[in-house]
Amino acid sequence: MKRFISLCTAGLVLTLCAAVPAIVAAKRKAPTTAAAVQEVQIPIQQIALRNGLRVVLSEDHAAPTVSLCITFDVGSRNEQPGHTGFAHLFEHMMFQGSQNVGKGEHLILVRVNGGDVNGTTTQDSTTYYERVPANQLDMALFLESDRMRALRITQANLDNQRNTVQEERRLRMDNQAYGKTGEILGDLAYDNFAYKHSTMGSMSDLNAASLDDVAQFFKIYYAPNNAVLTLVGDFNAPEALENIKRYFEDIPSQPAPPAVDMAEPAQAAERRSKVEDSFARLPRLDIVYKTVPGNTPDSYALDMLGDILFTGPSSRLFLKLVKQKQMALSVTGGIAFRRGPAPFQVTAILKPGQNEAGVEKLIYEEFERVKTEGVKPEEIEKARIMDRRTNAESLRNTMNRARTLGRYAIYFHDPNLINTLLANYSELTSADIQRVARQYLGENRRTVVLTIPKAQAEVR
């Protein structure tokens, strides 16, 4: 399972759920059984500051900690040809000090005060987050506001972090088994540059990045009007809001960044490539179909289809390829969670000596079964149960809640999706799943990349 209300005008607080206990059990009619399903409701308040910073508050007094998350509306999709890797570069640059915080001091202050801190970059957003004891909330707000206001962008910091990012690329992609497969697959499957290139960026683009380039990128995308602040945990909302305003509201806003075109032209024929990998020891088969953005009816149907086909030891293709035919060591798949056209992807690691074409044929046969026969009611119910469990587990942690709220606010302008997400699965039928399989899993829509060990390629 992969995971809208417009934001209020400046200073207006919209309470979506009563801010009493942080998690309130609320009964909702079960999708297929007579028994009511217990679901959690996360209390949410939304506020927009005068400078455009969107704030989402969610009180939870179960433990004396707070989780703070700043989600910026910038990812690799915002990058331009010749300037790739900038969003990921800034994930690192943001820890190199600001006007009142020394190099690396952000990390040190959070950790010596009993907290944890990190950042992450995707195609669609960049997120910085920390969890600290409740009495250290002011410190966390100060640290985040200082780097949003006045990040220390110097040639020395740029050179240092450029080297760090390049080393990370070597470690995770260039010198890793199947490390380049994802980059090759994205480049082959997508036509629009937004999703065509890797979040890591290219070595040549990182080498060519100038201090002016990165300073301009920061000015455009790391402004308060291009961000959402989410706060979850043990705090008093009115008091926390006053402190947020004190630290953030005088940070100047910037002109809105340019809109991103993520439209993909229709694919007319299958695309296929074979990759030789010096680090791989077994063949890997990847099949991608470009589909729809997240939080759309078809994305939920495709997500459930992915659960039925790939999730767990009783899923269709795990049973067929791993248990029964014993042709693969693993098979995984499903739709990614993206703001633009998302890939529905299958990845199979083959056992030694197995025929790649035979494995591929079995996968397509299972897709055809769904297209002609649909799926069984019990498969749908099992997928719903897994979705409810996954959703409940993800909400147990205040940091997960803070990051999820920020992601939903940035992607869909709807942090309350955290409370309504499961309803999007409750009415799905076999006919819905059959329809999306027919519509999106066609031969002309697919991109296939076979990664084979280089030694094996030389023997053939």
Side-chain angles (χ1 to χ4, degrees):
M1 175 181 177
K2 327 300 187 280
R3 307 292 181 237
F4 200 36
I5 292 175
S6 298
L7 290 165
C8 346
T9 55
L12 177 63
V13 178
L14 174 62
T15 302
L16 296 174
C17 305
V20 264
I23 301 178
V24 181
K27 290 187 177 182
R28 178 172 68 81
K29 183 180 179 181
T32 59
T33 67
V37 175
Q38 294 288 330
E39 291 192 5
V40 297
Q41 288 291 310
I42 305 302
I44 301 172
Q45 293 181 322
Q46 293 186 71
I47 308 97
L49 304 191
R50 289 194 301 270
N51 59 2
L53 177 66
R54 292 169 282 172
V55 177
V56 181
L57 305 177
S58 180
E59 290 187 55
D60 179 357
H61 303 286
T65 63
V66 290
S67 292
L68 173 65
C69 177
I70 309 288
T71 307
F72 290 96
D73 190 357
V74 58
S76 57
R77 76 187 192 114
N78 300 90
E79 297 165 353
Q80 300 300 314
H83 293 82
T84 63
F86 277 34
H88 181 233
L89 175 65
F90 266 100
E91 179 193 321
H92 294 260
M93 288 282 289
M94 290 284 271
F95 290 100
Q96 297 307 296
S98 50
Q99 182 175 346
N100 299 294
V101 180
K103 184 182 180 72
E105 193 175 1
H106 189 129
L107 294 165
I108 294 169
L109 284 170
V110 171
R111 288 170 179 167
V112 300
N113 282 283
D116 54 271
V117 57
N118 215 327
T120 186
T121 309
T122 70
Q123 292 92 347
D124 293 306
S125 64
T126 303
T127 303
Y128 302 92
Y129 49 93
E130 51 253 304
R131 178 170 46 206
V132 296
N135 63 1
Q136 296 299 321
L137 175 57
D138 263 25
M139 176 194 69
L141 291 172
F142 161 72
L143 291 172
E144 289 293 352
S145 64
D146 202 61
R147 64 180 175 182
M148 182 186 290
R149 183 192 309 275
L151 185 68
R152 193 172 296 163
I153 303 175
T154 66
Q155 189 65 52
N157 284 342
L158 171 59
D159 292 342
N160 177 274
Q161 293 312 299
R162 176 180 11 231
N163 291 338
T164 299
V165 169
Q166 289 178 326
E167 186 58 31
E168 185 177 347
R169 180 187 166 94
R170 293 185 190 100
L171 179 67
R172 293 172 55 185
M173 295 178 67
D174 297 345
N175 299 309
Q176 182 71 244
Y178 316 113
K180 291 186 177 180
T181 298
E183 187 173 40
I184 293 167
L185 191 61
D187 180 65
L188 186 61
Y190 281 88
D191 298 292
N192 190 315
F193 189 74
Y195 285 159
K196 187 176 180 67
H197 69 288
S198 164
T199 302
M200 281 284 185
S202 74
M203 288 292 198
S204 59
D205 286 355
L206 290 167
N207 282 329
S210 71
L211 191 62
D212 286 343
D213 289 336
V214 297
Q216 185 65 18
F217 193 83
F218 177 81
K219 182 178 181 180
I220 293 171
Y221 292 107
Y222 294 82
N225 52 300
N226 200 49
V228 171
L229 182 156
T230 54
L231 182 63
V232 179
D234 187 20
F235 60 87
N236 174 271
E239 180 181 329
L241 179 58
E242 285 306 308
N243 286 331
I244 291 168
K245 289 180 177 179
R246 175 160 59 93
Y247 285 112
F248 287 90
E249 198 159 38
D250 64 342
I251 301 175
S253 62
Q254 298 294 331
V260 179
D261 174 21
M262 294 181 291
E264 281 288 325
Q267 186 171 320
E270 179 189 80
R271 301 171 183 180
R272 183 174 288 267
S273 179
K274 182 179 285 189
V275 180
E276 297 178 4
D277 189 329
S278 301
F279 300 96
R281 294 296 175 263
L282 293 170
R284 169 173 151 173
L285 176 67
D286 287 271
I287 306 167
V288 159
Y289 302 82
K290 284 179 296 188
T291 63
V292 293
N295 196 33
T296 56
D298 285 4
S299 73
Y300 291 112
L302 284 163
D303 189 27
M304 183 169 282
L305 173 59
D307 287 342
I308 292 168
L309 290 173
F310 306 108
T311 302
S314 62
S315 59
R316 287 192 181 191
L317 280 166
F318 188 92
L319 280 173
K320 177 177 283 189
L321 293 176
V322 178
K323 288 190 172 182
Q324 296 170 0
K325 303 290 185 180
Q326 298 186 19
M327 299 175 72
L329 288 177
S330 66
V331 57
T332 57
I335 187 172
F337 186 75
R338 288 194 184 172
R339 300 166 73 174
F344 185 95
Q345 183 169 347
V346 186
T347 299
I349 304 292
L350 278 59
K351 283 190 170 184
Q354 293 298 320
N355 179 267
E356 299 96 341
V359 172
E360 190 174 352
K361 181 174 180 288
L362 289 173
I363 292 171
Y364 300 148
E365 285 178 356
E366 201 59 48
F367 290 172
E368 291 305 314
R369 277 188 60 201
V370 175
K371 294 177 187 179
T372 57
E373 303 171 16
V375 296
K376 298 175 182 178
E378 54 266 33
E379 291 180 300
I380 294 177
E381 182 59 19
K382 185 185 76 171
R384 286 186 180 130
I385 292 169
M386 289 191 298
D387 288 346
R388 290 199 295 269
R389 184 201 66 202
T390 302
N391 189 60
E393 289 176 348
S394 72
L395 297 181
R396 289 165 55 190
N397 185 305
T398 59
M399 179 58 74
N400 287 345
R401 273 179 260 158
R403 293 178 62 182
T404 300
L405 287 166
R407 185 165 62 249
Y408 291 163
I410 286 291
Y411 286 20
F412 309 119
H413 305 284
D414 184 17
N416 195 46
L417 186 60
I418 200 170
N419 289 316
T420 62
L421 180 76
L422 287 177
N424 294 298
Y425 296 89
S426 63
E427 304 302 326
L428 288 174
T429 66
S430 178
D432 294 323
I433 295 170
Q434 184 179 39
R435 176 183 57 78
V436 295
R438 289 173 174 173
Q439 184 171 350
Y440 299 107
L441 305 187
E443 179 180 354
N444 290 346
R445 283 180 167 266
R446 71 185 176 225
T447 298
V448 182
V449 172
L450 176 63
T451 306
I452 54 176
K454 191 168 186 179
Q456 177 182 337
E458 290 170 351
V459 169
R460 292 184 173 186

